[in-house]
């Protein structure tokens, strides 16, 4: 048998086909990815703290935190350490077994919040999906199947599963996906009278973001959340707070509801909970959780040891009173800086709104629809920023942002705005 024959026959000699070594660039995205995103021309390859570097070695100051996800910054040493230790210990078990990290995390979350029970999943959409299903089940068990209506707000965002986009208040996200889940009604945000008018005994839940994120960075008023609490109590409906974006320290308290002093029946968390490691959580009371029983809901990866270990470390760091005090201090500094920018560029921006380190600059009439162009200009100067719709520039820095970094962001933003304004609108 010559060598080539033996290569082709025996299993023992079968060679793995080597992966072709390819250079990947932003162009590769269009060639191999389902086109649901339009990412920047820049491909980041490494991050540390508030900084990110791209394929060309260019440095960026990151004031996006991956849409309020990497709230402790990139590659936070204590989180990396916790993850690496767990990676060498235990990755995954089926839900036929529980594990120590998830039990510690659930205990810590119940100690830190109103909640007595926690369900873990892998994303914000799944946390909301669990919340909506639980609300329907609870109402069905207790009051019968007719109590199924869910009230939500226009411009709200709750995720991309069919149920969560349907509850979300942005019709563009449900177009073409029908038939949609039924008995979902939308009311204008921060409008107490509209909530009063919509409420009824057939409502099982009212869901609201204490601070709307995707909808343009709009905080709820305290009176609004208080009124929703009262309306829900009067009609035996559950109040659900979607804190996927505004929770985990973002507004200067561990969860935004704490700052408002209004307690929900169910709270969803994700994004910053894992600082970039996928995890979501639905928090609720023991009485409501009891409507779910063995087999009524579940997910393979929910509460796996890796994600739970990371989230426990993140929670420990963020819930420290000194950490949250610093978030509030940084928020004062950043807000003041944004107000200064507005007064220096009144032609571009009309107002600043938001809460804590979740801030939006609303574009003036003249520059409506140009938010993306401004983030492109800041990116060219080395500052990563987000938009919240076409008319709002969104600021979501990691919660570890320093005063010096806020000052650097101001310098980069001013340079970007000067470049942006140098291009006459008519030339576009
Ligand atoms: C991002 C977000 C979600 C969805 O979270 P995913 O992890 O993308 O599923 C839900 N609600 C709010 C308020 C969000 O900002």
């Amino acid at each position: 048998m010559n060598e080539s024959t033996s290569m082709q026959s025996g299993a023992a000699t079968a060679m793995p086909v080597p992966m072709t070594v390819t250079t990947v660039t932003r162009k590769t995205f269009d060639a191999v990815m389902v086109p649901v995103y339009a990412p920047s021309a820049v491909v980041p390859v490494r991050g540390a703290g508030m900084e990110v570097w791209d394929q060309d070695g260019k440095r960026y100051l990151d004031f996006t935190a991956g849409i309020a996800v990497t709230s402790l910054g990139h590659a936070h040493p204590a989180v990396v350490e916790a993850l690496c230790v767990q990676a060498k210990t235990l990755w995954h078990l089926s839900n036929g077994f529980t594990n120590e990290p998830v039990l510690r995390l659930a205990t810590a979350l119940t100690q830190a919040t109103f909640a007595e029970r926690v369900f873990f999943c892998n994303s914000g959409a799944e946390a909301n999906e669990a919340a909506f299903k639980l609300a329907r089940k609870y109402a069905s068990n207790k009051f019968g199947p007719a109590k199924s209506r869910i009230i939500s707000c226009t411009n709200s965002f709750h995720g991309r599963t069919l149920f969560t986009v349907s509850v979300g208040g942005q019709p563009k996200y449900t177009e073409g996906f029908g038939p949609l889940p039924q008995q979902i009604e939308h009311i204008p945000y921060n409008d107490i009278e509209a909530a009063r008018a919509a409420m009824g005994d057939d409502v099982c839940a009212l869901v609201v973001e204490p601070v709307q994120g995707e909808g343009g960075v709009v905080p709820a008023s305290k009176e609004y959340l208080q009124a929703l609490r009262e309306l829900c109590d009067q009609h035996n409906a559950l109040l659900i707070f979607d804190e996927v974006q505004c929770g985990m320290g973002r507004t200067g308290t561990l969860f935004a509801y704490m700052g408002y002093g209004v307690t929900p029946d169910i709270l969803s968390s994700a994004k910053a909970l894992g600082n970039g490691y996928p995890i979501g959580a639905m928090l609720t009371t023991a009485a409501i959780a009891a409507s779910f029983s063995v087999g009524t809901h579940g997910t393979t990866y929910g509460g796996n040891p890796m994600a739970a270990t990371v989230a426990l470390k993140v929670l420990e760091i963020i819930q420290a009173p000194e950490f949250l005090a610093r978030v509030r201090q940084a928020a004062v500094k950043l807000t003041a800086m944004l107000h200064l920018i507005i007064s220096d560029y009144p032609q571009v921006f009309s107002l600043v709104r938001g809460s804590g380190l979740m801030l939006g600059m609303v574009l003036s009439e003249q520059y409506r629809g140009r938010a993306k162009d401004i983030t492109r200009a800041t990116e060219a100067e080395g500052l990563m920023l987000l938009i919240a719709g076409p008319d709002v520039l969104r600021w979501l820095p990691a919660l570890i942002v320093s005063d010096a970094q806020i000052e650097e962001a101001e310098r980069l933003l001013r340079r970007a705005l000067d470049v942006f304004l140098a291009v006459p609108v008519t030339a576009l």
Side-chain angles (χ1 to χ4, degrees), residues 18-24:
M19 296 273 288
T20 331
V21 183
T22 357
T23 309
V24 288

Side-chain angles (χ1 to χ4, degrees), residues 21-45:
V21 183
T22 357
T23 309
V24 288
T25 66
R26 171 61 182 80
K27 283 200 175 72
T28 318
F29 183 94
D30 299 327
V32 298
M33 303 284 280
V34 171
V36 290
Y37 310 112
S40 158
V42 163
V43 181
V45 293

Side-chain angles (χ1 to χ4, degrees), residues 334-411:
L334 180 59
T335 308
M337 186 274 263
L338 300 187
H339 278 293
L340 199 62
I341 294 284
I342 288 202
S343 64
D344 288 349
Y345 296 88
Q347 71 275 45
V348 184
F349 301 106
S350 62
L351 65 108
V352 176
R353 67 185 174 208
S355 176
L357 286 175
M358 183 171 179
L359 295 165
M361 297 169 97
V362 182
L363 297 193
S364 65
E365 195 65 42
Q366 190 187 347
Y367 284 95
R368 281 189 74 155
R370 302 286 306 279
K372 190 77 220 171
D373 295 330
I374 296 178
T375 63
R376 280 201 195 96
T378 66
E379 189 180 286
E381 299 299 330
L383 173 64
M384 291 164 73
L385 283 180
L386 291 163
I387 62 172
D391 309 324
V392 178
L393 199 61
R394 181 165 39 157
W395 296 70
L396 292 170
L399 307 180
I400 57 163
V401 66
S402 70
D403 287 358
Q405 286 160 332
I406 292 171
E407 285 155 22
E408 188 189 354
E410 176 180 0
R411 286 194 298 276

Side-chain angles (χ1 to χ4, degrees), residues 67-69 122-128 156-161 164 209 211-214 242-246 268 270-271 279 358 394:
I67 317 188
V69 171
N122 316 289
S123 67
E126 285 170 84
N128 286 325
S156 66
F157 183 79
H158 300 297
R160 301 297 200 121
T161 63
T164 57
E209 293 163 80
V211 184
Q212 281 194 339
E214 303 306 304
D242 179 343
E243 294 219 20
V244 171
Q245 190 164 150
C246 66
S268 54
K271 289 199 165 102
I279 181 167
M358 183 171 179
R394 181 165 39 157

Side-chain angles (χ1 to χ4, degrees), residues 16 35 48 62 76 78 111 129 195 202 242 267 285 287 371 398 427:
D62 180 3
H76 187 285
Q111 284 170 351
E129 182 87 18
D202 62 334
D242 179 343
L267 180 146
T285 64

